[in-house]
Amino acid sequence: MFSWGENCQHGFRLKHGSNISAGDGVHLLNLGFDITDLSAGHTVLAFIKNNADAAIICTKESQDGGRVRGKQKSVTCKEKIQAVGCSDDDVVTLLSNEGKVLCMDTTRTYIPKPLEALCNISVSQIACGSQHSVALTKGGQVYTWGRDSRGQLGLGRSEPCADSPQHIRSLSALPLVQVAAGGEQSFALSVSGAVFGWGGNDCGQLGLGDTTDRPTPTLVHYLNTKKTIYISCGKEHTAILTKNGAVFTFGSGQYGQLGHNSFGDELRPRLVAELWGAKVTKIACGRHHTLVLTDSKRVYSFGCGAQGQLGHGEESDPSVPLPVQLTQDTTNGPKIGNIYAGGDCSFATSTSVKEAHEVLSTATVSNVTHDVIDKWVTECNSKSWKKIKREIRRMFSSASCMNQIFLDQSKDKHFQTSSKYSGLNLSLARHAFKKLAKKGHVMAEVEAAVLHLLPSLEKKPVGVEGLRIHLLLNELLHVFQRPNLQRTSTALAEAVAAAMQRLCAGSLQVLGDWWSSLPPSTKVQHVKVWKRTLSVILSLKPVPRNSGVRNLLLVLQYMYNANDRIAGRQRIPEQTFCLEISQTFLQEDLQIWRSNNEDMDNQQLVLCNFPFVMDLKSKKMAFDIHAECSQRKAQCSLDLFCGLDGCFHLDLKRASVLEDTFEKLAAVDPDDYKLPLAIYFDENFTNEDDQYLYRKDFFHEVFHEMMSAESGMFMFNDSKTLAWFPSKAIEEDQRYFQFGVLCGLALYNQYIIHLPFPLALFKKLLGVKPSLGDMIEFSPCIGESLLNILEVCEDDVIKNLYMDFVINWDGTEVDLDPKNPEKPLTGENMKEFVDAYVTHAFNTSVEGVFQEFKRGFFQVCDQDLVKLFRPKELQEVLLGKDFHDWAKLKQNTGYEGVYNTTPPHPTIQMFWEVFDELTEDQKKAFLWFVTGFERVPILGMETIKMTVKVNGVGELSYDKYYPQTHTCFSILELPLYSTKEIMQSKLTEALSNNRRIYK
């Protein structure tokens, strides 16, 4: 062993002549045994021999005020020791091969005693600071004890010390591989290289960018993705080693111990540039100095050298790494295997060339192998089952363990773990879980272990690695739901959902981002996991409506929100989230949802609070059920003894249908809007069948007239295909309120209308902000020009456009920034300009009249029910959709009377020949002619059916008659025309004149 620094050769039991000076104050000590671990505090040095025995050397004050080492003493201990740690208060902590922690106060005894608090806990590592200690258990848990003056115990409380080990619960979910302790600071290292520090930070020794102490573990963000594999602490400085062999240091630089060619403090981790090009394999920090070992087995040191601890032969404080002069025969001599730095001393241990090998990093990945899983499912006999059960419980009841298995170790990808990347190999997990599913009792044991674990999961894990378990559990649940397992229990899924519900918003955001990055097929699979669980629950009689079921929907909600942020092909279809919902359940759900019972438990399941799981059919069904209830309620409030028939009457003249409508709407009590609508044209009273026809005609005619340029109510885009509110309209114009009422009446009474408005209208109704995409839809010319501005990144190019914040909208010049008239457009404010343009067009310029429209719309329709729809869905429900499937119409057509023949009647053959020759516009006119729809209801494909029959005309010639229709039943009365030409003439004339026979 090489030794240099304070009393470097004293205290060891050396034979005569075994202390060889290697120059520059470095001594080669022939101990007669190898050292496997060593630690040096202020008053004591302890080491472990290769036979697992421990020895200590105490340091005492000499008569001249100096410090000298006493004689080596053997530690009296039956345990075989693997690691040792020395603090500055005479306490030595030992770790046995079996994982027991033993302590002794060297001022009193050399017989260590086990720590009672850790007697039943197996420990893998120990680390000692000046007056505190840290232990890492084999289960990945961290315990601390000792002085807590600066928060170095990480417990977040103000007690000055802890006599017995205390569990740091905030780190319990993290897959930790190392702990370290310095003067008054502590660290923990995760399997994927995340570094967490706590305690004293007056010199920046925590690397957090400031000098504020931390009483609880805090992530060192500056080391994220640096692939940290080892941490070493000095009194007030810290060094970390990366897998690539780079060294970063931070904290006090007073003695040059940071190696940055300066004596200043570093508040953030900084690369030791002087070591660039040399791959470092080991680091060790003394009180005020630092050692590094390279892969070429050379040792470098920097920092305080007052006691010769740098091995440079002079008492100086070099601030850059300089080589320690160790006398070695690089060919046949011993090779340096490890380095140790004590308070003011340094050591290097060597091994023979034959035994020398690359020392593995402390941060090795503990991964579940397929061999372990295979053993569980194949060796399930009574003899081995008890041991297997213990292994399963140890793995699946530990969040720390769960979060470090199934890592993506290809090209060290797990070291890239961040808030955007989980570091997991989910396909590996999926394969392993499928193996587990082969044995029911193995899966039952896994389930029991996970159920035991879930309640203990942290609401806000300190690092993102603590969240990996939630992605893994999605895969586990998927396996649990495989058809061959025939499971109906939802207990595990509900427990997983409850654990997710307890997570803080930031953790849920990370999970959402991780989930968003998965392949679409995996995302669909995860969604189905929760849908299957909900389907089982919704099939129960009665359906439970507790908070546990509600949590399942909240998990789907998180996934839906995450998916909503995804663009392009990585986004899965929204209908993936939809559940099958029965009308009976929906009626019950609506009743609960719409009840005004303030005492109702807001944690219970109400499906209408989660409209994303409702498909359009369910939403429309819910809206219509509620509308029917509202109509009955409105009818019950009427005084039926006054001769009223319980309807909202509109008596109109066809010649002035729009003016009459506005006049009637202005004169009635708004409460009447909730009644069933009854339309009478020209004082003609009708039966219910004809009422259906009249209502269709009413909405058709009033909206076509209102949306025409002649009404003067709206502005139109350049192609005259889309309308918008005019900026010159005033709120006092009651027509916009009545326009909203009419739209509401159409939705409330289940009729589609002619409403050529952009999607922006429906976005605004639902509180969604219009975007540039809406401008592109309404005015492609303006929209594309705005898009081009955003895509021009160079400021010089934009300045050459000579544009300012003045635009022309609806024939009026508008300054988009009145506080800065004629502000020029630049590269810096181009997004502001585009946003201001869109905002003015869709919001500012029409705010008054739009609010009147909105007030009218929601005077009829319940706002909460309307908000079940997405903007596009609301548009499609109100407007229907274009119909082009004329082959489908032909296929759905039925025939009565003489036309009901096989093969088809000659007149029918002739009719379809005529129909096929019609233009697309004529075919659309025919659709309205027969069904009363220009467009078809979004859910009404089944209504696009036509029945053709002959209308009796007595002895008169059929050729004199036009085709007649009964739109209530989509019946076409087609005369037996004598020629194709006559049929074509009569049909096209009927279509052009909108000739229909009302009955």
Side-chain angles (χ1 to χ4, degrees):
M1 179 179 74
F2 291 97
S3 173
W4 62 99
E6 183 183 50
N7 299 128
C8 59
Q9 77 275 27
H10 296 154
F12 295 98
R13 294 173 180 169
L14 304 175
K15 295 180 179 180
H16 181 72
S18 61
N19 176 16
I20 302 172
S21 175
D24 291 339
V26 179
H27 292 259
L28 176 60
L29 309 180
N30 184 7
L31 304 178
F33 54 81
D34 289 333
I35 287 179
T36 59
D37 195 26
L38 183 149
S39 177
H42 187 61
T43 59
V44 65
L45 181 151
F47 57 89
I48 311 297
K49 301 177 183 179
N50 58 340
N51 64 357
D53 289 341
I56 62 170
I57 303 172
C58 293
T59 301
K60 299 179 180 179
E61 296 285 338
S62 63
Q63 292 181 351
D64 59 3
R67 287 159 40 83
V68 294
R69 287 184 185 153
K71 294 181 178 180
Q72 175 184 319
K73 302 287 184 179
S74 296
V75 175
T76 305
C77 180
K78 295 180 180 179
E79 304 280 348
K80 295 298 182 181
I81 306 302
Q82 64 165 312
V84 63
C86 296
S87 60
D88 288 340
D89 54 2
D90 303 308
V91 175
V92 175
T93 304
L94 306 170
L95 178 63
S96 76
N97 289 343
E98 286 72 35
K100 290 184 179 180
V101 178
L102 307 101
C103 292
M104 62 182 180
D105 184 344
T106 57
T107 63
R108 300 177 181 177
T109 181
Y110 295 131
I111 303 175
K113 294 183 179 180
L115 281 177
E116 291 185 9
L118 297 176
C119 277
N120 297 319
I121 301 174
S122 185
V123 173
S124 61
Q125 288 180 29
I126 54 171
C128 293
S130 291
Q131 297 181 38
H132 76 286
S133 301
V134 186
L136 177 65
T137 72
K138 290 183 179 179
Q141 303 304 296
V142 178
Y143 287 82
T144 58
W145 63 97
R147 191 177 179 186
D148 197 24
S149 56
R150 304 280 294 279
Q152 57 263 52
L153 299 189
L155 303 173
R157 57 196 190 205
S158 57
E159 295 181 15
C161 65
D163 294 333
S164 63
Q166 303 293 309
H167 182 206
I168 303 183
R169 298 189 180 279
S170 60
L171 293 172
S172 60
L174 293 175
L176 301 176
V177 291
Q178 191 213 344
V179 289
E184 294 175 309
Q185 77 268 33
S186 307
F187 284 89
L189 174 66
S190 81
V191 69
S192 294
V195 177
F196 303 88
W198 61 96
N201 192 37
D202 53 316
C203 299
Q205 57 264 48
L206 296 184
L208 301 174
D210 57 39
T211 56
T212 304
D213 294 352
R214 298 298 198 281
T216 56
T218 304
L219 176 65
V220 184
H221 290 283
Y222 303 102
L223 291 173
N224 284 355
T225 71
K226 292 290 192 297
K227 298 185 180 181
T228 302
I229 59 171
Y230 193 76
I231 307 169
S232 184
C233 299
K235 183 178 181 182
E236 296 170 325
H237 79 289
T238 307
I240 71 103
L241 175 65
T242 74
K243 189 172 184 180
N244 297 327
V247 177
F248 290 79
T249 58
F250 45 96
S252 172
Q254 179 181 1
Y255 300 96
Q257 63 264 50
L258 301 184
H260 300 313
N261 197 24
S262 74
F263 297 92
D265 296 349
E266 294 289 342
L267 305 186
R268 298 182 179 87
R270 180 179 171 186
L271 178 70
V272 181
E274 293 290 336
L275 292 171
W276 191 255
K279 184 176 181 179
V280 176
T281 59
K282 292 286 182 178
I283 57 173
C285 292
R287 190 189 316 277
H288 301 302
H289 73 290
T290 306
L291 304 179
V292 300
L293 174 67
T294 68
D295 60 350
S296 61
K297 305 306 177 183
R298 295 186 64 85
V299 180
Y300 293 81
S301 62
F302 44 97
C304 180
Q307 302 293 324
Q309 61 265 51
L310 300 183
H312 299 157
E314 56 183 21
E315 296 181 1
S316 63
D317 299 339
S319 59
V320 294
L322 295 176
V324 178
Q325 301 302 318
L326 304 180
T327 303
Q328 299 180 74
D329 184 337
T330 57
T331 304
N332 301 310
K335 299 292 184 182
I336 301 300
N338 214 336
I339 53 175
Y340 303 93
D344 296 316
C345 52
S346 304
F347 303 89
T349 59
S350 59
T351 57
S352 65
V353 175
K354 184 178 180 180
E355 297 172 343
H357 57 79
E358 182 68 26
V359 181
L360 293 177
S361 157
T362 304
T364 54
V365 177
S366 174
N367 219 333
V368 173
T369 65
H370 286 284
D371 292 339
V372 174
I373 302 292
D374 289 339
K375 184 187 72 172
W376 289 353
V377 297
T378 57
E379 299 180 12
C380 290
N381 54 61
S382 57
K383 185 177 180 180
S384 60
W385 176 235
K386 188 174 289 187
K387 179 182 178 182
I388 290 173
K389 282 174 65 175
R390 287 197 300 269
E391 291 176 352
I392 292 173
R393 289 174 183 174
R394 185 163 54 245
M395 178 183 298
F396 287 96
S397 63
S398 166
S400 173
C401 186
M402 284 284 285
N403 285 320
Q404 71 170 310
I405 59 178
F406 308 123
L407 297 184
D408 189 351
Q409 298 183 62
S410 61
K411 299 181 180 179
D412 290 333
K413 286 182 181 177
H414 71 93
F415 276 113
Q416 301 303 314
T417 299
S418 68
S419 59
K420 302 298 180 184
Y421 175 62
S422 70
L424 286 171
N425 183 338
L426 288 183
S427 62
L428 186 68
R430 192 175 307 130
H431 186 54
F433 292 155
K434 285 180 180 179
K435 285 187 175 182
L436 288 175
K438 292 178 180 179
K439 298 290 184 179
H441 57 296
V442 172
M443 286 300 282
E445 205 61 41
V446 170
E447 180 179 20
V450 173
L451 285 171
H452 179 266
L453 162 66
L454 288 171
S456 66
L457 293 181
E458 290 288 320
K459 174 183 178 181
K460 185 180 181 181
V462 178
V464 295
E465 287 173 81
L467 296 170
R468 287 177 177 146
I469 186 172
H470 294 282
L471 281 186
L472 290 172
L473 288 175
N474 268 287
E475 295 292 338
L476 187 64
L477 286 170
H478 173 66
V479 171
F480 266 56
Q481 293 175 349
R482 294 177 73 185
N484 60 318
L485 293 180
Q486 298 180 342
R487 288 174 50 88
T488 58
S489 172
T490 61
L492 182 59
E494 291 186 55
V496 173
M500 287 190 65
Q501 176 60 14
R502 290 192 296 270
L503 291 173
C504 67
S507 295
L508 289 172
Q509 177 71 37
V510 171
L511 275 179
D513 290 341
W514 283 357
W515 185 80
S516 299
S517 66
L518 298 177
S521 59
T522 302
K523 290 196 282 279
V524 169
Q525 179 189 102
H526 287 181
V527 169
K528 287 181 178 179
V529 163
W530 301 100
K531 284 176 60 177
R532 289 191 195 105
T533 304
L534 281 164
S535 296
V536 171
I537 293 173
L538 293 178
S539 67
L540 300 176
K541 304 296 182 184
V543 175
R545 292 181 174 273
N546 53 49
S547 60
V549 183
R550 184 174 180 272
N551 288 337
L552 298 171
L553 282 165
L554 287 171
V555 173
L556 273 180
Q557 178 83 69
Y558 303 146
M559 290 180 170
Y560 175 83
N561 292 343
N563 186 62
D564 200 41
R565 298 192 295 267
I566 303 173
R569 294 181 179 179
Q570 290 300 308
R571 184 172 181 171
I572 62 177
E574 291 180 337
Q575 58 265 31
T576 307
F577 295 88
C578 294
L579 298 168
E580 290 187 13
I581 307 169
S582 69
Q583 183 171 348
T584 303
F585 176 80
L586 202 54
Q587 287 174 323
E588 179 187 337
D589 201 67
L590 272 171
Q591 186 176 358
I592 296 173
W593 189 51
R594 301 304 301 151
S595 66
N596 293 319
N597 183 3
E598 295 181 359
D599 297 328
M600 186 180 70
D601 182 5
N602 59 10
Q603 292 299 310
Q604 69 175 301
L605 167 65
V606 181
L607 206 61
C608 287
N609 287 327
F610 302 90
F612 71 93
V613 299
M614 302 171 67
D615 60 15
L616 184 55
K617 181 180 179 181
S618 297
K619 293 176 184 179
K620 184 67 165 61
M621 187 191 305
F623 184 91
D624 293 341
I625 290 172
H626 183 263
E628 291 173 8
C629 291
S630 297
Q631 288 178 349
R632 289 195 296 269
K633 183 178 179 181
Q635 287 175 319
C636 291
S637 66
L638 292 174
D639 185 356
L640 298 182
F641 295 101
C642 294
L644 299 174
D645 63 357
C647 291
F648 171 35
H649 293 266
L650 284 179
D651 299 321
L652 309 168
K653 293 182 176 61
R654 284 190 181 274
S656 55
V657 63
L658 185 59
E659 292 82 356
D660 284 3
T661 298
F662 284 153
E663 182 181 337
K664 298 291 184 182
L665 291 179
V668 301
D669 185 337
D671 289 342
D672 290 349
Y673 300 154
K674 298 288 189 179
L675 293 166
L677 181 62
I679 300 294
Y680 301 110
F681 282 121
D682 301 320
E683 300 181 353
N684 288 327
F685 294 94
T686 61
N687 58 38
E688 181 54 35
D689 288 343
D690 288 339
Q691 260 301 308
Y692 175 75
L693 174 62
Y694 272 41
R695 285 193 293 267
K696 278 204 297 188
D697 281 349
F698 164 71
F699 285 113
H700 177 270
E701 294 181 19
V702 78
F703 273 91
H704 272 80
E705 189 168 335
M706 185 167 46
M707 298 308 303
S708 67
E710 288 73 18
S711 75
M713 287 184 63
F714 307 103
M715 64 172 286
F716 292 87
N717 61 2
D718 293 339
S719 60
K720 308 300 181 185
T721 54
L722 290 175
W724 190 245
F725 299 99
S727 59
K728 303 179 182 66
I730 57 174
E731 299 176 38
E732 290 73 17
D733 190 338
Q734 285 299 300
R735 293 181 302 171
Y736 295 100
F737 169 79
Q738 291 157 358
F739 170 45
V741 169
L742 286 167
C743 291
L745 285 172
L747 182 62
Y748 188 71
N749 289 276
Q750 303 182 45
Y751 288 91
I752 60 175
I753 55 178
H754 174 63
L755 190 64
F757 268 72
L759 186 62
L761 174 71
F762 306 94
K763 283 186 173 182
K764 286 172 67 66
L765 269 175
L766 297 174
V768 179
K769 185 179 178 181
S771 64
L772 177 57
D774 297 302
M775 179 59 76
I776 294 174
E777 179 196 7
F778 181 73
S779 178
C781 181
I782 295 175
E784 293 293 343
S785 65
L786 293 176
L787 183 62
N788 289 336
I789 289 174
L790 290 179
E791 292 175 347
V792 175
C793 300
E794 294 80 7
D795 190 52
D796 292 341
V797 176
I798 291 179
K799 284 182 179 179
N800 289 335
L801 297 176
Y802 298 105
M803 292 178 62
D804 51 34
F805 273 57
V806 177
I807 66 168
N808 189 291
W809 180 257
D810 193 19
T812 303
E813 190 173 272
V814 179
D815 197 323
L816 296 178
D817 191 351
K819 294 182 180 179
N820 299 288
E822 299 183 1
K823 180 169 69 176
L825 178 66
T826 66
E828 294 181 353
N829 64 25
M830 59 184 181
K831 187 177 186 307
E832 177 190 350
F833 171 78
V834 171
D835 290 343
Y837 201 130
V838 174
T839 298
H840 176 79
F842 291 124
N843 297 327
T844 311
S845 67
V846 299
E847 188 60 27
V849 291
F850 173 77
Q851 289 302 325
E852 283 298 294
F853 164 77
K854 181 178 178 180
R855 184 171 69 89
F857 185 84
F858 289 121
Q859 189 82 53
V860 182
C861 298
D862 187 288
Q863 191 163 357
D864 290 336
L865 266 297
V866 173
K867 286 189 174 180
L868 291 177
F869 299 104
R870 302 184 188 100
K872 187 64 177 177
E873 291 174 332
L874 181 59
Q875 183 184 43
E876 291 176 337
V877 167
L878 256 177
L879 278 64
K881 62 180 181 181
D882 285 328
F883 183 81
H884 302 285
D885 194 353
W886 307 114
K888 184 74 172 178
L889 176 65
K890 184 175 182 179
Q891 179 183 332
N892 287 350
T893 298
Y895 306 95
E896 293 183 0
V898 298
Y899 288 150
N900 188 16
T901 63
T902 303
H905 191 280
T907 302
I908 295 301
Q909 295 184 42
M910 188 165 56
F911 166 75
W912 287 116
E913 289 177 11
V914 170
F915 181 85
D916 290 341
E917 293 173 4
L918 295 176
T919 65
E920 190 68 17
D921 287 341
Q922 287 174 323
K923 289 177 181 177
K924 289 181 179 180
F926 177 83
L927 181 68
W928 176 79
F929 180 70
V930 175
T931 67
F933 296 120
E934 284 183 304
R935 293 160 62 90
V936 297
I938 188 65
L939 299 173
M941 284 301 295
E942 70 278 0
T943 65
I944 308 305
K945 296 179 181 179
M946 178 176 65
T947 302
V948 184
K949 65 179 183 179
V950 178
N951 185 22
V953 295
E955 297 179 357
L956 299 175
S957 172
Y958 284 104
D959 291 344
K960 295 181 180 180
Y961 289 88
Y962 290 101
Q964 300 175 6
T965 61
H966 300 269
T967 56
C968 294
F969 308 104
S970 298
I971 294 175
L972 172 66
E973 293 185 347
L974 184 67
L976 288 161
Y977 294 113
S978 59
T979 67
K980 177 181 175 181
E981 289 73 18
I982 293 174
M983 178 186 287
Q984 188 175 43
S985 174
K986 291 294 184 180
L987 180 60
T988 54
E989 188 177 348
L991 295 180
S992 63
N993 295 327
N994 287 331
R995 287 177 176 263
R996 287 193 301 188
I997 302 297
Y998 301 104
K999 296 189 69 175

